[in-house]
């Protein structure tokens, strides 16, 4: 069992921000990544559709022999992970906007959360927000249009800059000192965000925390790969292979797959 791969999926290429942290932290693990880019964005879809797509991705990863699944998508986690956990035997790791560290550390008592509509409207997001951010002003901003731009290779475009500016300006006016990135596509925007935000604003991205949690759960289930072999990594997309390859800074084995 420990030699079987870790499965990772996202609505598209964004979850590679999590995938990279996992590969760095767990170099002995085999990994299979699925970018469901043909169905991106998930963020505007109804919850039942997000669950349906998450089931499709999960079943393919299980067919490919995965021992654990990382839902590298805030939208799929907040809408589908409880369903997945109750219907499949493998452990699932999810990602949610990291409101807790921002709410605990804010000095201005005002934080911003940039995420998809599907995440911000989910029950899980509200539960977490009520639990950790009472007494804190949380400015929730839907990142409408960001994921389609990244999926079409327009990460560093003027269009992106204008869009981000329109989302950040009201948060800056309200004096946020933390910006929580609530979508796994958004870490790729950090260089651009840094040029637009006042330097007092801390950006929170939870990629490394997800990788550490993956390691902890593998250990807990005694399925950490201890073998000293080089790992086999495979990334599949049902969308544009070029866009996927551009976001990967190493040469990984990538392929188009119709799923
Ligand atoms: N990477 C997904 C997330 O973390 C993007 C969602 C979407 O496709 O809209 O939420």
């Amino acid at each position: 069992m420990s030699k079987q791969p870790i499965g990772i999926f996202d609505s598209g290429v964004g979850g590679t921000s999590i995938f990279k942290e996992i590969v760095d932290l767990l170099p002995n693990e085999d990994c299979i990544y699925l970018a469901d880019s043909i169905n991106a964005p998930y963020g505007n879809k109804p919850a039942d559709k997000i669950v349906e797509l998450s089931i499709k991705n999960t079943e393919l990863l299980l067919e490919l022999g995965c021992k654990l699944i990382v839902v590298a998508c805030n939208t799929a986690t907040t809408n589908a992970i409880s369903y997945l956990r109750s219907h499949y035997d493998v452990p699932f790791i999810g990602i949610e906007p990291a409101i807790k560290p921002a709410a605990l550390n804010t000095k201005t008592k005002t934080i911003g959360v940039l995420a998809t509509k599907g995440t911000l409207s989910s029950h899980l997001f509200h539960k977490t927000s009520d639990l950790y951010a009472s007494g804190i002003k949380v400015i929730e901003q839907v990142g409408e249009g960001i994921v389609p731009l990244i999926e079409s290779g327009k990460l560093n475009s003027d269009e992106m800059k204008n869009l981000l500016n329109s989302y950040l300006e009201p948060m800056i006016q309200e004096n946020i000192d933390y910006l929580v990135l609530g979508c796994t596509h958004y870490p790729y925007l950090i260089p651009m965000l840094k040029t637009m935000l006042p330097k007092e604003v801390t950006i929170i991205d939870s990629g490394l925390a997800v990788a550490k949690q993956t390691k902890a759960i593998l250990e807990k289930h005694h399925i950490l790969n201890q073998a000293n072999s080089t790992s086999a990594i495979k990334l599949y997309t049902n969308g544009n292979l070029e866009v996927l390859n551009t976001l990967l800074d190493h040469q990984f084995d990538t392929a188009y797959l119709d799923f």
Side-chain angles (χ1 to χ4, degrees):
M1 180 80 166
S2 66
K3 300 226 165 43
Q4 289 173 235
I6 293 175
I8 305 167
F9 78 83
D10 178 37
S11 63
V13 293
T16 54
S17 62
I18 307 288
F19 157 84
K20 288 176 189 173
E21 301 282 3
I22 291 174
V23 169
D24 281 352
L25 189 72
L26 298 164
N28 289 342
E29 297 293 336
D30 291 352
C31 287
I32 300 174
Y33 181 91
L34 297 183
D36 191 16
S37 293
I38 195 109
N39 291 303
Y42 281 12
N44 294 341
K45 294 183 167 49
D48 56 349
K49 184 70 188 171
I50 298 167
V51 173
E52 185 189 313
L53 293 167
S54 301
I55 292 172
K56 168 187 70 99
N57 299 329
T58 297
E59 295 203 340
L60 175 53
L61 289 170
L62 292 177
E63 270 169 43
L64 296 169
C66 293
K67 61 184 174 184
L68 170 147
I69 294 178
V70 179
V71 182
C73 176
N74 292 260
T75 311
T77 299
T78 50
N79 287 276
I81 205 161
S82 55
Y83 179 93
L84 298 175
R85 285 190 172 130
S86 63
H87 285 80
Y88 299 96
D89 283 340
V90 293
F92 285 88
I93 313 290
I95 179 165
E96 288 183 68
I99 294 182
K100 186 179 172 185
L104 283 177
N105 293 305
T106 175
K107 295 200 170 53
T108 61
K109 301 283 170 239
T110 311
I111 65 171
V113 182
L114 189 60
T116 68
K117 188 171 154 214
T119 295
L120 292 175
S121 60
S122 69
H123 174 67
L124 193 56
F125 174 77
H126 285 117
K127 211 172 119 192
T128 310
S129 185
D130 291 347
L131 190 63
Y132 298 113
S134 62
I136 305 284
K137 184 164 186 184
V138 181
I139 304 176
E140 298 172 17
Q141 175 64 58
V142 174
E144 186 66 41
I146 297 176
V147 168
L149 281 178
I150 296 175
E151 290 290 329
S152 57
K154 293 183 185 152
L155 176 64
N156 291 311
S157 59
D158 285 344
E159 232 173 315
M160 181 70 86
K161 199 163 187 174
N162 292 335
L163 200 57
L164 289 183
N165 199 35
S166 70
Y167 297 151
L168 296 180
E169 212 35 60
M171 298 192 195
I172 295 169
Q173 292 300 328
E174 296 270 358
N175 205 19
I176 61 158
D177 58 357
Y178 279 85
L179 175 65
V180 178
L181 301 184
C183 170
T184 55
H185 283 68
Y186 300 171
Y188 288 111
L189 299 169
I190 290 175
M192 191 181 272
L193 288 169
K194 282 188 170 161
T195 68
M196 305 173 86
L197 288 165
K199 61 177 184 328
E200 301 74 30
V201 177
T202 304
I203 299 172
I204 300 212
D205 144 38
S206 24
L208 180 58
V210 173
K212 286 183 175 165
Q213 176 69 357
T214 303
K215 186 176 181 195
I217 297 296
L218 288 171
E219 281 168 346
K220 184 175 162 213
H221 290 262
H222 308 289
I223 51 173
L224 189 71
N225 193 344
Q226 311 276 14
N228 253 345
S229 58
T230 45
S231 58
I233 309 272
K234 187 87 196 185
L235 296 99
Y236 295 106
T237 178
N238 54 19
N240 187 325
L241 196 53
E242 179 77 30
V243 172
L244 174 65
N245 286 331
T246 318
L247 292 182
L248 302 169
D249 15 60
H250 297 290
Q251 195 73 41
F252 287 111
D253 188 4
T254 59
Y256 173 81
L257 183 70
D258 190 7
F259 63 94

